[in-house]
Amino acid sequence: MSAAPPARAELLMAMSDNARGLVLAVASSAFIGASFILKKKGLKRAASDGTRAGIGGYTYLLEPLWWTGMVTMIVGEVANFVAYVYAPAVLVTPLGALSIIVSAFLAHFMLKERLQRMGIVGCVCCIVGSVVIVIHVPQEHTPSSVQEIWDLATQPAFLIYVGATISTVLALVLYFEPHYGQTNILVYLGICSLMGSLTVVSIKAIGIAIKLTLEGISQIAYPQTWFFVTVAAVCVVTQLNYLNKALDTFNAAIVSPVYYVMFTTLTIVASAIMFKDWSGQTASSIASEICGFITVLLGTIILHSTREQESANARVVCWWGFCKKC
């Protein structure tokens, strides 16, 4: 039996890689979506024995269920990282929206957090809008070394973005969190998402360094490698801290989609600035992305406005204003 032609063999290999990436991406979304619920249940158990995470408590660190959720999230993130090795981002990234459906489904049965019909509509809008945005983002240039990423990271445009991000995070932490953190979901999730956009850049640099080192081109001696490791560690710890506060304070069925939308949007913006992805983009692609952003915005407003009132004295979340009751 004759061997397959080279072109056909390459096609079959590409299809096989895409299938692996698809399976890993779906598994990643399932693990990450479940982790929100496990961590939420862990936070609730910890709150009954000590100070809630939403007001500065850390008793959840002694709760096994919270750690189960943390391990589940790590497994999901690792699967997502490996998925990018086998499949293009245009296939992997939109599948992250599946975690919203998983968390909302599990929250309904495990946490008794009912998602109303309009909430489902909002969830669908978030998914559709995010997928439209990601699909129309052009392919980025893949750096071949940590030094190349460092050159991209020190561009004036990206330095301005980093400065604006850090300034916004400081304002949210120092002023808005004490006054509005318990009533406005955008405070906690804004911090998570802004820091997350910087995490993606750092993790990508670390991944390239590991890959090159395994190929025999060591990147360990470069100070830039350790700088990115430090930045990633600080950003991840900050994200987890404020994500815990968001989960402990607000409905998990709302936290998951809003966080996904904000994180995806800011990551796309950061990537576009750093890697100059917007240059050469067609008018139709730009128009599609604008429509995607509008759809996402409508979805988040619908989700936010349909937040279930848990009791007569429950905290009420405001979207456009900062208040305790709307």
Side-chain angles (χ1 to χ4, degrees):
M1 186 174 181
S2 60
R8 183 182 177 187
E10 291 179 3
L11 178 60
L12 292 174
M13 183 176 295
M15 291 176 62
S16 178
D17 286 346
N18 283 343
R20 293 192 189 101
L22 176 63
V23 171
L24 286 167
V26 172
S28 170
S29 295
F31 278 114
I32 292 174
S35 73
F36 275 98
I37 307 307
L38 293 173
K39 290 170 68 178
K40 176 78 172 184
K41 287 183 70 70
L43 289 169
K44 283 189 172 183
R45 288 187 183 180
S48 63
D49 299 326
T51 306
R52 292 173 51 240
I55 55 176
Y58 292 94
T59 54
Y60 62 85
L61 294 175
L62 302 176
E63 175 57 50
L65 190 58
W66 183 87
W67 282 107
T68 301
M70 178 60 63
V71 172
T72 303
M73 175 173 282
I74 293 173
V75 172
E77 294 294 349
V78 170
N80 189 62
F81 177 80
V82 178
Y84 280 104
V85 176
Y86 291 104
V90 69
L91 173 64
V92 177
T93 307
L95 293 177
L98 295 177
S99 64
I100 300 174
I101 301 174
V102 173
S103 62
F105 179 81
L106 293 178
H108 178 80
F109 292 99
M110 298 178 65
L111 300 178
K112 307 304 179 184
E113 296 180 353
R114 186 169 59 90
L115 189 61
Q116 301 176 5
R117 291 183 178 178
M118 286 304 296
I120 296 175
V121 173
C123 190
V124 172
C125 288
C126 289
I127 295 173
V128 172
S130 297
V131 170
V132 169
I133 293 171
V134 173
I135 287 177
H136 290 87
V137 171
Q139 293 290 331
E140 66 180 11
H141 166 67
T142 303
S144 58
S145 69
V146 173
Q147 181 62 52
E148 186 177 349
I149 290 187
W150 180 257
D151 293 338
L152 293 172
T154 53
Q155 298 174 96
F158 189 70
L159 290 177
I160 292 174
Y161 174 81
V162 172
T165 297
I166 295 175
S167 299
T168 304
V169 168
L170 289 175
L172 289 172
V173 172
L174 298 178
Y175 177 76
F176 290 98
E177 182 189 357
H179 293 86
Y180 312 114
Q182 296 292 302
T183 59
N184 194 298
I185 197 173
L186 297 183
V187 175
Y188 291 147
L189 296 187
I191 297 171
C192 292
S193 302
L194 287 166
M195 297 300 284
S197 66
L198 300 180
T199 300
V200 170
V201 175
S202 301
I203 291 297
K204 182 164 187 173
I206 296 169
I208 291 175
I210 294 174
K211 180 176 180 292
L212 292 173
T213 300
L214 293 176
E215 292 175 351
I217 308 174
S218 178
Q219 304 290 304
I220 297 177
Y222 290 95
Q224 293 91 338
T225 300
W226 299 106
F227 174 81
F228 284 121
V229 170
T230 303
V231 171
V234 172
C235 290
V236 168
V237 170
T238 304
Q239 281 180 265
L240 292 177
N241 183 36
Y242 284 95
L243 182 58
N244 285 329
K245 291 185 177 184
L247 286 171
D248 188 53
T249 306
F250 303 103
N251 192 312
I254 305 300
V255 171
S256 181
V258 174
Y259 176 57
Y260 169 79
V261 169
M262 294 180 67
F263 174 76
T264 301
T265 301
L266 289 171
T267 298
I268 290 174
V269 171
S271 178
I273 294 174
M274 184 169 177
F275 299 106
K276 302 184 185 301
D277 290 334
W278 304 108
S279 60
Q281 198 170 15
T282 63
S284 60
S285 294
I286 295 174
S288 297
E289 289 178 38
I290 293 175
C291 291
F293 274 104
I294 294 174
T295 305
V296 167
L297 179 60
L298 290 175
T300 53
I301 292 175
I302 293 172
L303 281 167
H304 212 79
S305 64
T306 57
R307 180 175 184 260
E308 182 180 8
Q309 297 294 329
E310 296 180 357
S311 67
N313 297 323
R315 291 178 297 273
V316 179
V317 182
C318 295
W319 179 258
W320 298 111
F322 295 97
C323 57
K324 291 186 177 179
K325 288 188 177 181
C326 295

